[in-house]
Amino acid sequence: MIYDEINKTMTTERLLLRLFRESDAETVVRLCNNYNIYKSTLTLPYPYTLDCALSWIEYHIHNFDADKSYEFAVCDRHTGTVYGAIALTNHQRYDNGEIAYWIGEEYWGKGYATEASKAILGFAFQVKHYHKVYARHFASNPASGQVIQKTGMKQEGVLIDHVKKENHYEDLVYYGIVKNEYQEI
């Protein structure tokens, strides 16, 4: 992972992680207005409208500059095609943060979430100097757990029936990694 502080971008072998632009809003709507993504995410609204995308994108630069959270578009490094999003929260008081991501269904199974997650871990530990990074997923979405495990995170526990989604309760599976366990992959 190569981080460009001036442009707030990260590059990997296949990906460019960059801040979202207002011009990405229609693509975000097309990708997020998908029931299969909605059912696997904690807070994504459905249906997903243009207003949802614009209001979400509007706060990214402020949150980034305020060191609250870092939200990146996951893009093809060469074509610029937006595949999804990845974010890292910043809990400054505890020197840790959470990774969260979504990838458009048409791009599932290509390793983009894993590659982006490894990059954001590097950003967290090498650039932002976090002590710990964690991630969580619905137990009903084991593919997300596989992505998290490929980054080197270890399962720390399961919160049983922790959240309610569509009138049924979901277990949340938590993973984490501390800086001294991290190895750039």
Side-chain angles (χ1 to χ4, degrees):
M1 179 275 299
I2 299 169
Y3 178 62
D4 178 344
E5 188 170 354
I6 293 168
N7 294 310
K8 297 178 172 77
T9 62
M10 283 182 269
T11 53
T12 67
E13 182 181 338
R14 300 180 299 161
L15 302 175
L16 170 68
L17 278 56
R18 62 160 174 80
L19 296 179
F20 278 92
R21 305 176 192 124
E22 196 173 292
S23 61
D24 295 322
E26 288 184 15
T27 300
V28 170
V29 171
R30 183 178 58 78
L31 295 173
C32 286
N33 201 23
N34 177 318
Y35 181 76
N36 290 326
I37 292 177
Y38 161 77
K39 73 180 184 178
S40 298
T41 57
L42 193 58
T43 60
L44 198 72
Y46 185 80
Y48 197 92
T49 66
L50 186 59
D51 284 343
C52 292
L54 290 170
S55 63
W56 177 64
I57 291 168
E58 177 183 356
Y59 292 99
H60 289 178
I61 191 69
H62 169 74
N63 289 341
F64 196 107
D65 290 341
D67 280 328
K68 289 183 179 181
S69 64
Y70 316 99
E71 305 211 35
F72 295 94
V74 177
C75 306
D76 183 279
R77 184 174 173 177
H78 301 291
T79 67
T81 301
V82 175
Y83 296 143
I86 190 158
L88 176 68
T89 59
N90 187 0
H91 304 291
Q92 294 174 0
R93 181 175 181 184
Y94 304 110
D95 294 329
N96 74 27
E98 178 182 8
I99 293 176
Y101 53 84
W102 58 263
I103 299 293
E105 186 173 13
E106 64 198 88
Y107 305 113
W108 290 358
K110 298 180 181 357
Y112 299 138
T114 300
E115 192 170 328
S117 294
K118 289 176 180 179
I120 207 95
L121 267 180
F123 176 76
F125 290 128
Q126 297 166 0
V127 177
K128 294 298 177 180
H129 307 290
Y130 284 20
H131 172 70
K132 181 178 182 173
V133 176
Y134 64 96
R136 59 190 169 165
H137 69 89
F138 290 153
S140 62
N141 183 12
S144 192
Q146 291 172 345
V147 167
I148 295 166
Q149 290 171 33
K150 288 175 187 175
T151 68
M153 288 192 197
K154 303 285 188 257
Q155 185 175 325
E156 295 183 338
V158 179
L159 301 181
I160 306 297
D161 285 352
H162 195 68
V163 295
K164 192 173 185 180
K165 182 88 177 193
E166 295 194 305
N167 294 319
H168 98 258
Y169 293 96
E170 287 274 357
D171 296 351
L172 284 182
V173 184
Y174 276 77
Y175 293 79
I177 189 168
V178 293
K179 188 173 188 171
N180 66 359
E181 295 173 343
Y182 168 75
Q183 296 177 16
E184 188 172 5
I185 301 171

